[in-house]
Amino acid sequence: MQDILLGIKQACYLLFTFDYETYNTILLSLKVSGIAVFFSSLIGISFGTFFSMKHFPNKKFIMYLINTCMGLPPVVIGLVVYLFLSSSGPLGSLELLFTAKAMIIAQTILVTPIIAGLTIAALNSVDPMIALNAKTLGADKFQVGLTILNEARYGVIAAVISGFGRAIAEVGAVIMVGGDIAGSTRVMTTAIALQTRMGQFDTALALGIILILISFLINLFIFRLADRR
Amino acid sequence: MSKKIFSTLLILSMLVVCLSMTTVAAFAKVSNELTISTTTSVNDSGLLGKLVPKFEKQYNAKVKVISVGTGQALEIARRGDADVVLVHSKKQETKFINEGYGTKRHIVMCNYFAVVGPKNNPAHIKGYDFSQIMGSIAKTKSPFISRGDKSGTHTKELSLWQEAKINPKGSSWYIEAGAGQGVTLLMANEKKAYTLTDKATFLKFQGDNRLPNLTILIDGGKSLLNVYSVIPVNPNKVKNVNTDLANKFTKFMESKPVQNYIATYGKKEFGKPLFTPRIHMNSSQII
């Protein structure tokens, strides 16, 4: 269809002329989602490992909660975080609203349950003999954890990639807490929404194509990295 | 992976956390920062994009423009997340000021909405009598798309129904979109329906050949007057607002050079300027 061809043409144009605004937007998307996924992985993987190893009451119930949180609507998270960071909200004095930091916070909340939930699933499918063997070889709890994590590394990497995919593609949370401000909080998804609203469909499609390309390259990079072990 | 590598990673990540947090602490509101909450129709016209850099230079300030629907723009201001608003909905603005959140309504410019619809005009609407116009649409059960999102355009649309003493809500032909102006127009085009729109968005989309089924049917007239005003947020009711810069922005928008700029804005792209500045508005328009 002609519009899509125009979109591809515009994508090439923006990329190869090093359009400042476009590259700025790409960089910000990567920064916000990258940092968010970094923190989410830290929290999610540690929690996931701890959770899958320990035995405690109501474990199943907490699992249901985690699974529910995996599907939290980004726009709702955006609204709740906005209410917290708002000047009239409890954390208003931090003056984080309409900044990239607020976007990182919102995306971290969005992605942590996803990484935690998928990490738990990956760890649960590891042969329990592995943990037993490690224990008999004298490993302490911490080392056992690392062992099963290592065994499930492909599943864990898939969890992180899933989380990143969610973050880089969402618009509901970042637009609410970031405000889509040109130059400081405009990311790929909010830019696409804006271009669409203004009727500039070729630019909107172009940015969409670039976003998909970037996701693809990042996935490729992470999997190559994992395969080399 | 050994314990050593893990500990190193842990320390590294804690460093990253600390580094990113160092710039978080703020002890006072940055005095040269202004947050304006405005509507999508104002921002998408590109006017603020041209005016804001001038303001920033003149007052050595940093400006954040948050562009959302009118309802949201005012709500953000109520919460102290904006210092000044630029919106176009007298009813909502009056409520905003009466509730104590805004100081004064400073009219800065105006233009007119348009009623667009299918070229064959099944409801045969014409003229400027809106009781008749809305009545015809309702009687012929012609499809009508509403923004349905508390935007300035939506508020105006509701007032037109009120003028005609008709309540269209719930009728099969009345479609509440909850979408932005562009999408609403595309929908009207698809369904060959009537809708209310600002002219700039319509002309832009029409120029790109996306609205082959639609044409402007009613253009202008008192009922379609669209007035834009700047309202500084009231520091007596809302904490932490930058009143100084808010007032400076108000003065800036009312200043002669800016008003003259507004008078010609859009002429190149659309043939006619998009707005009439306050200095050129006549008494019947200053409402």
Side-chain angles (χ1 to χ4, degrees), chain A residues 100-152:
Chain A
K101 288 188 190 76
M103 295 159 82
I104 293 171
I105 292 170
Q107 289 206 334
T108 304
I109 295 172
L110 178 68
V111 171
T112 302
I114 296 174
I115 295 183
L118 293 177
T119 300
I120 293 169
L123 293 173
N124 284 347
S125 62
V126 168
D127 189 340
M129 286 302 287
I130 306 269
L132 270 161
N133 282 338
K135 276 196 204 126
T136 52
L137 288 169
D140 63 22
K141 276 210 187 91
F142 184 74
Q143 287 166 320
V144 174
L146 285 178
T147 312
I148 48 173
L149 213 55
N150 182 51
E151 194 63 29

Side-chain angles (χ1 to χ4, degrees), chain A residues 26-38:
Chain A
I26 296 172
L27 242 63
L28 190 64
S29 274
L30 291 174
K31 173 181 156 193
V32 168
S33 299
I35 296 177
V37 169
F38 174 76

Side-chain angles (χ1 to χ4, degrees), chain A residues 39 82 86-87 142 200-201, chain B residues 6 17 64 81 204 210:
Chain A
F39 286 129
Y82 164 80
S86 167
S87 180
F142 184 74
Q200 273 140 216
F201 291 171
Chain B
F6 186 85
V17 173
K64 282 185 181 178
D81 299 322
K204 178 101 215 294
R210 302 210 179 267

Side-chain angles (χ1 to χ4, degrees), chain B residues 107 109-110 112 222 225 227 276-287:
Chain B
I107 295 175
M109 59 195 190
C110 78
Y112 288 87
K222 194 167 197 272
L225 179 63
V227 177
T276 303
R278 162 94 196 226
I279 54 173
H280 294 160
M281 283 164 65
N282 60 50
S283 51
S284 68
Q285 292 173 314
I286 299 179
I287 51 163

Side-chain angles (χ1 to χ4, degrees), chain A residues 10-11 15 32 34 44-45 58 76 78 80 107 112 119 122 140 188-189 191-192 200 202-203 216 222 226:
Chain A
Q10 178 78 339
L15 286 175
V32 168
I45 296 175
N58 298 325
V76 173
V80 173
Q107 289 206 334
T112 302
T119 300
D140 63 22
M188 297 292 283
T189 48
I192 293 169
Q200 273 140 216
D202 53 350
T203 309
F216 178 75
I222 293 180

Side-chain angles (χ1 to χ4, degrees), chain B residues 34 36 38 42 45 47-55 58-59 84-87 106-110 228-231 245-263 275-279:
Chain B
L34 176 73
I36 305 172
T38 186
V42 175
S45 71
L47 178 65
L48 279 183
K50 290 282 178 326
L51 291 177
V52 163
K54 292 190 211 275
F55 178 81
Q58 199 176 324
Y59 290 96
V84 64
V85 304
L86 168 55
V87 290
H106 298 259
I107 295 175
V108 291
M109 59 195 190
C110 78
Y228 295 84
S229 17
V230 174
I231 307 172
L245 272 184
N247 290 331
K248 288 192 169 118
F249 179 74
T250 310
K251 278 206 174 65
F252 172 80
M253 290 298 283
E254 290 178 313
S255 70
K256 220 147 189 218
V258 172
Q259 289 279 300
N260 285 330
Y261 182 84
I262 293 174
F275 306 97
T276 303
R278 162 94 196 226
I279 54 173

